[in-house]
Amino acid sequence: MSDDPRAADASFYSRALFEQSPFSTVIYDAEGRLLAANAAFERFWGVPVDSAPPDYNVLADPELERQGALPVIRRAFAGETVVTPPVRYDISRLSTSGAGRTVWTQGHFYPVRDAGGRVTHVVLVHVDLTARVEAEEALRLSEERFRTALRGSAVITSSQDRDLRYTWMHNPALGDRVRRVIGKRDMELFERTLDAEAMEAIKRKVLRTGESERREVLVYEDGQPRYYDLTVDPLRDAAGEVAGVICAQIDVTERRRYITERRRAEEALSMQARVLESMREGVSVTNEAGVIVYTNPAEDEMFGYARGELVGQHVTVQNTYPPDENQRIVAEVIAQLKATGEWVGEWQNRRKDGTPFVTRARITAIELGGRAHWVCVQEDVTERKRADEALREAKETAEAASRAKSEFLAVMSHELRTPLNAIGGYVELLEMGVRGALEPGQLADLERIRVNQRRLLGLINDVLNYAKVDAGRVEYVIRPAPVREALDATEPVIQPLAAAKGVALEVEACDQALVAVADPDKVQQVLVNLLSNAVKFTEPGGRVSVACEDDPAARAVRVRVRDTGVGIPADRLDAIFDPFVQVDTRLTRTAGGTGLGLAISRELARGMGGELTAESRVGEGSTFTLTLRRG
């Protein structure tokens, strides 16, 4: 027998480790018969070891055979250290009392050899996976990855004496060297998860108090963080005195990552649920069979149902289509969803009390649990459609009234022009002396009649022109229109008016090559209106000018008419283009006019694809800009 005290100590500590280990441990002989089990076995399984049948043999265990674990276990009895896959083991089926727990466990099998290398015993250590596997099944997350990570993690167990001088290390990673003695330096390398002083302080505390310490520690391996679940328990001798410590480390990096990912997934799902619950639009989820599996509060409220009352009902409960038409519409929607993944349109619906209403819906195809589902987001548009219909009817009524007004004005203008033209003809006949020679006073009276007849005829022509524009009956002949030609044609018309009033008319130079895309006659009509107004509202001694400019960047031609007249107040500037609007009726009473000239001019400009705008300051004059497309 060896005199080495360490050998005796090793025997003692090995036995103590077996008896006091926190892990359920079983020892079998080389043929698979059960020899011994420690106290942790009874705590783990809920039955004592003597509840096993007398003829029990692990190599013929029906539970292990049913789950396909025996081939792996047989390798351990052949001399190989093995770890079984997770097994859901019901020990009550095996125990003679019919009692015991059902757990998910993983078996670590270690062969023990004699001096000649022959396998004499096999040690089994159970690792409880129940909570871990149940969490996986409950959340259905990353099951295979988690098992793989779990199989790859090692349970590292070591024990030390009371003086922390000798260390026995028990580690599956050591292969068939189940136990060995390592020195202090090696132990410090092994316990790299904490610095040496901190680790020794934990052990000293356990030795002093006799109470276990457990904590999670972090270490960086090759720059990557790994987490270990560290447990330090007191190791007691036969008298119950603390004789040392036993340390166990389990790599829980993957489990921690799994828990973190699960928590993030739960938070994401919770956030999505909160978003759905707070949406103002109704949301429902329907399975392939057309059965509603989810509704948010807005959906229930929209259809007049209690919370969750729609769930489990067929989607047709929500709409008002006849059965045949409903089947056709649903088929069309599903066909489009399969083709594009989305359908947008309107549904004819009904509330629980039978009230019909219309929703605007967007249906999207998604996959849940490997099966197709439809998500419908919809809002009640009944009032909006009623408002749109009322607006459409009001618009049609207004358009009809506008057409009637325009037709009335056109007819009245035509009927009024006939007698006015007759008045003008009779004036000319009287001036020619068909009724005899006239005295100077009579000729002056005829001239007043002629002036007022022409003024009234001009007003009627304005009304008739506006009626045509307003009714959309103006025809445009759009072609290249040289701007200089339009100015030259306008000047002779306006010059006599300006001269008669004592207003200077200036036509600034305009490039002969500048061409607009417009109706030349309409351009001339607009310019005559603008220049006539400028002369009309400019005091004698004032000035009216017209100029053109090219804007290549905007592909536009601009003609500006400026005057030094009375100007327009800022609060009336936007209204001057409205029909029958006069800026200052005191001026119009002397200058004449219907207030239609600018309204007609803007509509003509827009009819040619252009625009007419104004700028003005009271007492300084106004500038009107005709913008046309550049040729």
Side-chain angles (χ1 to χ4, degrees), residues 348-380:
Q348 300 291 331
N349 295 291
R350 63 182 171 201
R351 306 188 204 280
K352 185 179 181 180
D353 62 7
T355 306
F357 69 107
V358 182
T359 60
R360 179 73 174 173
R362 179 185 298 274
I363 303 177
T364 306
I366 64 170
E367 185 176 300
L368 292 175
R371 305 184 69 176
H373 286 71
W374 323 115
V375 177
C376 178
V377 180
Q378 56 188 333
E379 60 175 330
D380 187 345

PDB file of all heavy atoms in Angstrom, residues 348-380:
ATOM      1  N   GLN A 348     -68.617  46.295 -48.676  1.00  0.00           N
ATOM      2  CA  GLN A 348     -69.936  46.598 -48.140  1.00  0.00           C
ATOM      3  C   GLN A 348     -70.108  45.765 -46.873  1.00  0.00           C
ATOM      4  O   GLN A 348     -70.127  44.545 -46.925  1.00  0.00           O
ATOM      5  CB  GLN A 348     -71.020  46.250 -49.160  1.00  0.00           C
ATOM      6  CG  GLN A 348     -70.910  46.999 -50.473  1.00  0.00           C
ATOM      7  CD  GLN A 348     -71.219  48.482 -50.311  1.00  0.00           C
ATOM      8  OE1 GLN A 348     -71.989  48.877 -49.422  1.00  0.00           O
ATOM      9  NE2 GLN A 348     -70.626  49.298 -51.162  1.00  0.00           N
ATOM     10  N   ASN A 349     -70.225  46.416 -45.723  1.00  0.00           N
ATOM     11  CA  ASN A 349     -70.252  45.722 -44.437  1.00  0.00           C
ATOM     12  C   ASN A 349     -71.557  45.966 -43.695  1.00  0.00           C
ATOM     13  O   ASN A 349     -72.382  46.793 -44.097  1.00  0.00           O
ATOM     14  CB  ASN A 349     -69.079  46.201 -43.566  1.00  0.00           C
ATOM     15  CG  ASN A 349     -67.738  45.834 -44.148  1.00  0.00           C
ATOM     16  OD1 ASN A 349     -67.378  44.666 -44.195  1.00  0.00           O
ATOM     17  ND2 ASN A 349     -66.997  46.829 -44.617  1.00  0.00           N
ATOM     18  N   ARG A 350     -71.709  45.257 -42.578  1.00  0.00           N
ATOM     19  CA  ARG A 350     -72.836  45.483 -41.691  1.00  0.00           C
ATOM     20  C   ARG A 350     -72.368  45.323 -40.254  1.00  0.00           C
ATOM     21  O   ARG A 350     -71.504  44.497 -39.950  1.00  0.00           O
ATOM     22  CB  ARG A 350     -73.962  44.496 -41.988  1.00  0.00           C
ATOM     23  CG  ARG A 350     -73.586  43.046 -41.738  1.00  0.00           C
ATOM     24  CD  ARG A 350     -74.714  42.112 -42.103  1.00  0.00           C
ATOM     25  NE  ARG A 350     -74.266  40.723 -42.068  1.00  0.00           N
ATOM     26  CZ  ARG A 350     -74.872  39.740 -42.704  1.00  0.00           C
ATOM     27  NH1 ARG A 350     -75.939  39.990 -43.423  1.00  0.00           N
ATOM     28  NH2 ARG A 350     -74.422  38.504 -42.620  1.00  0.00           N
ATOM     29  N   ARG A 351     -72.948  46.136 -39.385  1.00  0.00           N
ATOM     30  CA  ARG A 351     -72.634  46.024 -37.966  1.00  0.00           C
ATOM     31  C   ARG A 351     -73.456  44.896 -37.352  1.00  0.00           C
ATOM     32  O   ARG A 351     -74.315  44.314 -38.007  1.00  0.00           O
ATOM     33  CB  ARG A 351     -72.900  47.345 -37.256  1.00  0.00           C
ATOM     34  CG  ARG A 351     -72.187  48.523 -37.890  1.00  0.00           C
ATOM     35  CD  ARG A 351     -72.324  49.782 -37.058  1.00  0.00           C
ATOM     36  NE  ARG A 351     -72.150  50.966 -37.888  1.00  0.00           N
ATOM     37  CZ  ARG A 351     -70.990  51.463 -38.278  1.00  0.00           C
ATOM     38  NH1 ARG A 351     -69.882  50.863 -37.898  1.00  0.00           N
ATOM     39  NH2 ARG A 351     -70.922  52.534 -39.050  1.00  0.00           N
ATOM     40  N   LYS A 352     -73.178  44.616 -36.092  1.00  0.00           N
ATOM     41  CA  LYS A 352     -73.894  43.533 -35.415  1.00  0.00           C
ATOM     42  C   LYS A 352     -75.399  43.779 -35.407  1.00  0.00           C
ATOM     43  O   LYS A 352     -76.196  42.833 -35.508  1.00  0.00           O
ATOM     44  CB  LYS A 352     -73.369  43.391 -33.988  1.00  0.00           C
ATOM     45  CG  LYS A 352     -73.960  42.202 -33.233  1.00  0.00           C
ATOM     46  CD  LYS A 352     -73.377  42.103 -31.835  1.00  0.00           C
ATOM     47  CE  LYS A 352     -73.965  40.893 -31.085  1.00  0.00           C
ATOM     48  NZ  LYS A 352     -73.420  40.781 -29.717  1.00  0.00           N
ATOM     49  N   ASP A 353     -75.810  45.066 -35.311  1.00  0.00           N
ATOM     50  CA  ASP A 353     -77.237  45.379 -35.291  1.00  0.00           C
ATOM     51  C   ASP A 353     -77.838  45.448 -36.689  1.00  0.00           C
ATOM     52  O   ASP A 353     -79.012  45.791 -36.847  1.00  0.00           O
ATOM     53  CB  ASP A 353     -77.484  46.693 -34.545  1.00  0.00           C
ATOM     54  CG  ASP A 353     -76.793  47.888 -35.216  1.00  0.00           C
ATOM     55  OD1 ASP A 353     -76.231  47.714 -36.325  1.00  0.00           O
ATOM     56  OD2 ASP A 353     -76.820  48.985 -34.635  1.00  0.00           O
ATOM     57  N   GLY A 354     -77.041  45.121 -37.736  1.00  0.00           N
ATOM     58  CA  GLY A 354     -77.544  45.097 -39.101  1.00  0.00           C
ATOM     59  C   GLY A 354     -77.337  46.377 -39.880  1.00  0.00           C
ATOM     60  O   GLY A 354     -77.633  46.438 -41.076  1.00  0.00           O
ATOM     61  N   THR A 355     -76.826  47.430 -39.241  1.00  0.00           N
ATOM     62  CA  THR A 355     -76.609  48.705 -39.929  1.00  0.00           C
ATOM     63  C   THR A 355     -75.544  48.547 -41.012  1.00  0.00           C
ATOM     64  O   THR A 355     -74.429  48.107 -40.719  1.00  0.00           O
ATOM     65  CB  THR A 355     -76.167  49.790 -38.934  1.00  0.00           C
ATOM     66  OG1 THR A 355     -77.104  49.859 -37.876  1.00  0.00           O
ATOM     67  CG2 THR A 355     -76.031  51.134 -39.626  1.00  0.00           C
ATOM     68  N   PRO A 356     -75.858  48.913 -42.263  1.00  0.00           N
ATOM     69  CA  PRO A 356     -74.842  48.798 -43.317  1.00  0.00           C
ATOM     70  C   PRO A 356     -73.865  49.961 -43.274  1.00  0.00           C
ATOM     71  O   PRO A 356     -74.228  51.080 -42.896  1.00  0.00           O
ATOM     72  CB  PRO A 356     -75.678  48.833 -44.606  1.00  0.00           C
ATOM     73  CG  PRO A 356     -76.885  49.627 -44.243  1.00  0.00           C
ATOM     74  CD  PRO A 356     -77.168  49.341 -42.791  1.00  0.00           C
ATOM     75  N   PHE A 357     -72.645  49.724 -43.671  1.00  0.00           N
ATOM     76  CA  PHE A 357     -71.646  50.788 -43.800  1.00  0.00           C
ATOM     77  C   PHE A 357     -70.547  50.305 -44.740  1.00  0.00           C
ATOM     78  O   PHE A 357     -70.481  49.129 -45.105  1.00  0.00           O
ATOM     79  CB  PHE A 357     -71.079  51.208 -42.439  1.00  0.00           C
ATOM     80  CG  PHE A 357     -70.219  50.183 -41.762  1.00  0.00           C
ATOM     81  CD1 PHE A 357     -68.837  50.348 -41.698  1.00  0.00           C
ATOM     82  CD2 PHE A 357     -70.764  49.057 -41.166  1.00  0.00           C
ATOM     83  CE1 PHE A 357     -68.043  49.415 -41.069  1.00  0.00           C
ATOM     84  CE2 PHE A 357     -69.975  48.116 -40.534  1.00  0.00           C
ATOM     85  CZ  PHE A 357     -68.600  48.293 -40.486  1.00  0.00           C
ATOM     86  N   VAL A 358     -69.685  51.242 -45.141  1.00  0.00           N
ATOM     87  CA  VAL A 358     -68.641  50.960 -46.139  1.00  0.00           C
ATOM     88  C   VAL A 358     -67.279  51.171 -45.508  1.00  0.00           C
ATOM     89  O   VAL A 358     -67.062  52.141 -44.766  1.00  0.00           O
ATOM     90  CB  VAL A 358     -68.790  51.874 -47.373  1.00  0.00           C
ATOM     91  CG1 VAL A 358     -67.735  51.533 -48.426  1.00  0.00           C
ATOM     92  CG2 VAL A 358     -70.183  51.750 -47.959  1.00  0.00           C
ATOM     93  N   THR A 359     -66.356  50.261 -45.784  1.00  0.00           N
ATOM     94  CA  THR A 359     -64.984  50.423 -45.307  1.00  0.00           C
ATOM     95  C   THR A 359     -64.022  50.408 -46.479  1.00  0.00           C
ATOM     96  O   THR A 359     -64.270  49.770 -47.507  1.00  0.00           O
ATOM     97  CB  THR A 359     -64.571  49.299 -44.335  1.00  0.00           C
ATOM     98  OG1 THR A 359     -64.670  48.043 -45.011  1.00  0.00           O
ATOM     99  CG2 THR A 359     -65.419  49.303 -43.095  1.00  0.00           C
ATOM    100  N   ARG A 360     -62.941  51.125 -46.312  1.00  0.00           N
ATOM    101  CA  ARG A 360     -61.808  51.068 -47.236  1.00  0.00           C
ATOM    102  C   ARG A 360     -60.806  50.118 -46.622  1.00  0.00           C
ATOM    103  O   ARG A 360     -60.347  50.327 -45.497  1.00  0.00           O
ATOM    104  CB  ARG A 360     -61.192  52.457 -47.407  1.00  0.00           C
ATOM    105  CG  ARG A 360     -59.987  52.524 -48.336  1.00  0.00           C
ATOM    106  CD  ARG A 360     -60.398  52.387 -49.775  1.00  0.00           C
ATOM    107  NE  ARG A 360     -59.253  52.593 -50.671  1.00  0.00           N
ATOM    108  CZ  ARG A 360     -59.298  52.393 -51.974  1.00  0.00           C
ATOM    109  NH1 ARG A 360     -60.441  51.999 -52.532  1.00  0.00           N
ATOM    110  NH2 ARG A 360     -58.248  52.582 -52.732  1.00  0.00           N
ATOM    111  N   ALA A 361     -60.462  49.031 -47.336  1.00  0.00           N
ATOM    112  CA  ALA A 361     -59.662  47.957 -46.735  1.00  0.00           C
ATOM    113  C   ALA A 361     -58.382  47.708 -47.525  1.00  0.00           C
ATOM    114  O   ALA A 361     -58.328  47.893 -48.738  1.00  0.00           O
ATOM    115  CB  ALA A 361     -60.481  46.665 -46.669  1.00  0.00           C
ATOM    116  N   ARG A 362     -57.365  47.283 -46.784  1.00  0.00           N
ATOM    117  CA  ARG A 362     -56.115  46.800 -47.370  1.00  0.00           C
ATOM    118  C   ARG A 362     -55.847  45.424 -46.771  1.00  0.00           C
ATOM    119  O   ARG A 362     -55.669  45.291 -45.567  1.00  0.00           O
ATOM    120  CB  ARG A 362     -54.952  47.743 -47.071  1.00  0.00           C
ATOM    121  CG  ARG A 362     -53.602  47.267 -47.649  1.00  0.00           C
ATOM    122  CD  ARG A 362     -52.478  48.194 -47.210  1.00  0.00           C
ATOM    123  NE  ARG A 362     -52.683  49.534 -47.707  1.00  0.00           N
ATOM    124  CZ  ARG A 362     -52.299  49.969 -48.897  1.00  0.00           C
ATOM    125  NH1 ARG A 362     -51.651  49.140 -49.711  1.00  0.00           N
ATOM    126  NH2 ARG A 362     -52.513  51.222 -49.279  1.00  0.00           N
ATOM    127  N   ILE A 363     -55.815  44.392 -47.629  1.00  0.00           N
ATOM    128  CA  ILE A 363     -55.619  43.017 -47.170  1.00  0.00           C
ATOM    129  C   ILE A 363     -54.250  42.550 -47.632  1.00  0.00           C
ATOM    130  O   ILE A 363     -53.880  42.708 -48.798  1.00  0.00           O
ATOM    131  CB  ILE A 363     -56.717  42.087 -47.717  1.00  0.00           C
ATOM    132  CG1 ILE A 363     -58.100  42.604 -47.298  1.00  0.00           C
ATOM    133  CG2 ILE A 363     -56.519  40.667 -47.207  1.00  0.00           C
ATOM    134  CD1 ILE A 363     -59.246  41.793 -47.843  1.00  0.00           C
ATOM    135  N   THR A 364     -53.489  41.972 -46.715  1.00  0.00           N
ATOM    136  CA  THR A 364     -52.130  41.511 -46.999  1.00  0.00           C
ATOM    137  C   THR A 364     -52.006  40.044 -46.625  1.00  0.00           C
ATOM    138  O   THR A 364     -52.531  39.611 -45.593  1.00  0.00           O
ATOM    139  CB  THR A 364     -51.101  42.330 -46.201  1.00  0.00           C
ATOM    140  OG1 THR A 364     -51.308  43.716 -46.456  1.00  0.00           O
ATOM    141  CG2 THR A 364     -49.680  41.959 -46.608  1.00  0.00           C
ATOM    142  N   ALA A 365     -51.314  39.280 -47.458  1.00  0.00           N
ATOM    143  CA  ALA A 365     -51.085  37.860 -47.187  1.00  0.00           C
ATOM    144  C   ALA A 365     -49.849  37.703 -46.314  1.00  0.00           C
ATOM    145  O   ALA A 365     -48.805  38.304 -46.583  1.00  0.00           O
ATOM    146  CB  ALA A 365     -50.899  37.094 -48.500  1.00  0.00           C
ATOM    147  N   ILE A 366     -49.952  36.915 -45.242  1.00  0.00           N
ATOM    148  CA  ILE A 366     -48.809  36.616 -44.382  1.00  0.00           C
ATOM    149  C   ILE A 366     -48.827  35.120 -44.069  1.00  0.00           C
ATOM    150  O   ILE A 366     -49.781  34.417 -44.383  1.00  0.00           O
ATOM    151  CB  ILE A 366     -48.840  37.425 -43.058  1.00  0.00           C
ATOM    152  CG1 ILE A 366     -50.069  37.025 -42.224  1.00  0.00           C
ATOM    153  CG2 ILE A 366     -48.820  38.901 -43.317  1.00  0.00           C
ATOM    154  CD1 ILE A 366     -50.047  37.580 -40.814  1.00  0.00           C
ATOM    155  N   GLU A 367     -47.754  34.650 -43.436  1.00  0.00           N
ATOM    156  CA  GLU A 367     -47.678  33.249 -43.045  1.00  0.00           C
ATOM    157  C   GLU A 367     -47.530  33.172 -41.535  1.00  0.00           C
ATOM    158  O   GLU A 367     -46.655  33.804 -40.946  1.00  0.00           O
ATOM    159  CB  GLU A 367     -46.497  32.564 -43.737  1.00  0.00           C
ATOM    160  CG  GLU A 367     -46.427  31.058 -43.460  1.00  0.00           C
ATOM    161  CD  GLU A 367     -45.301  30.389 -44.246  1.00  0.00           C
ATOM    162  OE1 GLU A 367     -45.336  30.448 -45.485  1.00  0.00           O
ATOM    163  OE2 GLU A 367     -44.407  29.830 -43.605  1.00  0.00           O
ATOM    164  N   LEU A 368     -48.398  32.404 -40.898  1.00  0.00           N
ATOM    165  CA  LEU A 368     -48.344  32.186 -39.452  1.00  0.00           C
ATOM    166  C   LEU A 368     -48.375  30.688 -39.201  1.00  0.00           C
ATOM    167  O   LEU A 368     -49.293  30.000 -39.662  1.00  0.00           O
ATOM    168  CB  LEU A 368     -49.532  32.857 -38.749  1.00  0.00           C
ATOM    169  CG  LEU A 368     -49.581  34.388 -38.745  1.00  0.00           C
ATOM    170  CD1 LEU A 368     -50.878  34.861 -38.127  1.00  0.00           C
ATOM    171  CD2 LEU A 368     -48.394  34.967 -38.011  1.00  0.00           C
ATOM    172  N   GLY A 369     -47.366  30.210 -38.475  1.00  0.00           N
ATOM    173  CA  GLY A 369     -47.325  28.789 -38.169  1.00  0.00           C
ATOM    174  C   GLY A 369     -47.262  27.918 -39.408  1.00  0.00           C
ATOM    175  O   GLY A 369     -47.763  26.794 -39.407  1.00  0.00           O
ATOM    176  N   GLY A 370     -46.642  28.430 -40.461  1.00  0.00           N
ATOM    177  CA  GLY A 370     -46.500  27.659 -41.683  1.00  0.00           C
ATOM    178  C   GLY A 370     -47.752  27.625 -42.541  1.00  0.00           C
ATOM    179  O   GLY A 370     -47.795  26.899 -43.542  1.00  0.00           O
ATOM    180  N   ARG A 371     -48.785  28.424 -42.200  1.00  0.00           N
ATOM    181  CA  ARG A 371     -50.026  28.425 -42.969  1.00  0.00           C
ATOM    182  C   ARG A 371     -50.375  29.853 -43.357  1.00  0.00           C
ATOM    183  O   ARG A 371     -50.037  30.813 -42.658  1.00  0.00           O
ATOM    184  CB  ARG A 371     -51.164  27.802 -42.155  1.00  0.00           C
ATOM    185  CG  ARG A 371     -50.855  26.397 -41.651  1.00  0.00           C
ATOM    186  CD  ARG A 371     -52.015  25.764 -40.939  1.00  0.00           C
ATOM    187  NE  ARG A 371     -53.105  25.456 -41.863  1.00  0.00           N
ATOM    188  CZ  ARG A 371     -54.216  24.821 -41.492  1.00  0.00           C
ATOM    189  NH1 ARG A 371     -54.364  24.437 -40.229  1.00  0.00           N
ATOM    190  NH2 ARG A 371     -55.157  24.573 -42.369  1.00  0.00           N
ATOM    191  N   ALA A 372     -51.062  29.985 -44.497  1.00  0.00           N
ATOM    192  CA  ALA A 372     -51.416  31.298 -45.013  1.00  0.00           C
ATOM    193  C   ALA A 372     -52.508  31.934 -44.167  1.00  0.00           C
ATOM    194  O   ALA A 372     -53.450  31.263 -43.728  1.00  0.00           O
ATOM    195  CB  ALA A 372     -51.868  31.193 -46.465  1.00  0.00           C
ATOM    196  N   HIS A 373     -52.373  33.230 -43.926  1.00  0.00           N
ATOM    197  CA  HIS A 373     -53.395  34.021 -43.233  1.00  0.00           C
ATOM    198  C   HIS A 373     -53.541  35.351 -43.979  1.00  0.00           C
ATOM    199  O   HIS A 373     -52.665  35.749 -44.756  1.00  0.00           O
ATOM    200  CB  HIS A 373     -53.005  34.288 -41.778  1.00  0.00           C
ATOM    201  CG  HIS A 373     -53.136  33.088 -40.883  1.00  0.00           C
ATOM    202  ND1 HIS A 373     -52.285  32.010 -40.972  1.00  0.00           N
ATOM    203  CD2 HIS A 373     -54.020  32.799 -39.882  1.00  0.00           C
ATOM    204  CE1 HIS A 373     -52.626  31.108 -40.059  1.00  0.00           C
ATOM    205  NE2 HIS A 373     -53.673  31.565 -39.394  1.00  0.00           N
ATOM    206  N   TRP A 374     -54.646  36.043 -43.700  1.00  0.00           N
ATOM    207  CA  TRP A 374     -54.894  37.331 -44.331  1.00  0.00           C
ATOM    208  C   TRP A 374     -55.056  38.388 -43.246  1.00  0.00           C
ATOM    209  O   TRP A 374     -55.873  38.226 -42.336  1.00  0.00           O
ATOM    210  CB  TRP A 374     -56.156  37.289 -45.201  1.00  0.00           C
ATOM    211  CG  TRP A 374     -56.361  35.996 -45.940  1.00  0.00           C
ATOM    212  CD1 TRP A 374     -57.363  35.108 -45.769  1.00  0.00           C
ATOM    213  CD2 TRP A 374     -55.515  35.449 -46.953  1.00  0.00           C
ATOM    214  NE1 TRP A 374     -57.217  34.045 -46.603  1.00  0.00           N
ATOM    215  CE2 TRP A 374     -56.082  34.217 -47.361  1.00  0.00           C
ATOM    216  CE3 TRP A 374     -54.341  35.858 -47.582  1.00  0.00           C
ATOM    217  CZ2 TRP A 374     -55.521  33.410 -48.334  1.00  0.00           C
ATOM    218  CZ3 TRP A 374     -53.784  35.059 -48.549  1.00  0.00           C
ATOM    219  CH2 TRP A 374     -54.366  33.858 -48.929  1.00  0.00           C
ATOM    220  N   VAL A 375     -54.293  39.470 -43.358  1.00  0.00           N
ATOM    221  CA  VAL A 375     -54.399  40.599 -42.422  1.00  0.00           C
ATOM    222  C   VAL A 375     -55.162  41.714 -43.122  1.00  0.00           C
ATOM    223  O   VAL A 375     -54.751  42.176 -44.191  1.00  0.00           O
ATOM    224  CB  VAL A 375     -53.012  41.100 -41.980  1.00  0.00           C
ATOM    225  CG1 VAL A 375     -53.168  42.323 -41.071  1.00  0.00           C
ATOM    226  CG2 VAL A 375     -52.255  40.007 -41.255  1.00  0.00           C
ATOM    227  N   CYS A 376     -56.251  42.142 -42.517  1.00  0.00           N
ATOM    228  CA  CYS A 376     -57.097  43.190 -43.103  1.00  0.00           C
ATOM    229  C   CYS A 376     -57.057  44.429 -42.215  1.00  0.00           C
ATOM    230  O   CYS A 376     -57.379  44.354 -41.026  1.00  0.00           O
ATOM    231  CB  CYS A 376     -58.537  42.698 -43.257  1.00  0.00           C
ATOM    232  SG  CYS A 376     -59.654  43.954 -43.931  1.00  0.00           S
ATOM    233  N   VAL A 377     -56.641  45.561 -42.782  1.00  0.00           N
ATOM    234  CA  VAL A 377     -56.655  46.851 -42.088  1.00  0.00           C
ATOM    235  C   VAL A 377     -57.694  47.716 -42.800  1.00  0.00           C
ATOM    236  O   VAL A 377     -57.598  47.932 -44.011  1.00  0.00           O
ATOM    237  CB  VAL A 377     -55.273  47.538 -42.129  1.00  0.00           C
ATOM    238  CG1 VAL A 377     -55.324  48.870 -41.396  1.00  0.00           C
ATOM    239  CG2 VAL A 377     -54.217  46.624 -41.520  1.00  0.00           C
ATOM    240  N   GLN A 378     -58.696  48.193 -42.061  1.00  0.00           N
ATOM    241  CA  GLN A 378     -59.783  48.918 -42.711  1.00  0.00           C
ATOM    242  C   GLN A 378     -60.285  50.060 -41.849  1.00  0.00           C
ATOM    243  O   GLN A 378     -60.112  50.066 -40.625  1.00  0.00           O
ATOM    244  CB  GLN A 378     -60.929  47.975 -43.067  1.00  0.00           C
ATOM    245  CG  GLN A 378     -61.488  47.174 -41.896  1.00  0.00           C
ATOM    246  CD  GLN A 378     -62.476  46.122 -42.347  1.00  0.00           C
ATOM    247  OE1 GLN A 378     -63.119  46.261 -43.380  1.00  0.00           O
ATOM    248  NE2 GLN A 378     -62.632  45.064 -41.570  1.00  0.00           N
ATOM    249  N   GLU A 379     -60.899  51.032 -42.519  1.00  0.00           N
ATOM    250  CA  GLU A 379     -61.489  52.177 -41.828  1.00  0.00           C
ATOM    251  C   GLU A 379     -62.865  52.458 -42.412  1.00  0.00           C
ATOM    252  O   GLU A 379     -63.130  52.199 -43.587  1.00  0.00           O
ATOM    253  CB  GLU A 379     -60.598  53.414 -41.961  1.00  0.00           C
ATOM    254  CG  GLU A 379     -60.357  53.867 -43.389  1.00  0.00           C
ATOM    255  CD  GLU A 379     -59.576  55.155 -43.468  1.00  0.00           C
ATOM    256  OE1 GLU A 379     -59.708  55.961 -42.534  1.00  0.00           O
ATOM    257  OE2 GLU A 379     -58.853  55.351 -44.451  1.00  0.00           O
ATOM    258  N   ASP A 380     -63.740  52.989 -41.570  1.00  0.00           N
ATOM    259  CA  ASP A 380     -65.106  53.306 -41.966  1.00  0.00           C
ATOM    260  C   ASP A 380     -65.093  54.578 -42.817  1.00  0.00           C
ATOM    261  O   ASP A 380     -64.686  55.646 -42.355  1.00  0.00           O
ATOM    262  CB  ASP A 380     -65.963  53.522 -40.703  1.00  0.00           C
ATOM    263  CG  ASP A 380     -67.444  53.688 -41.035  1.00  0.00           C
ATOM    264  OD1 ASP A 380     -67.773  53.921 -42.207  1.00  0.00           O
ATOM    265  OD2 ASP A 380     -68.266  53.589 -40.105  1.00  0.00           O
TER     266      ASP A 380
END
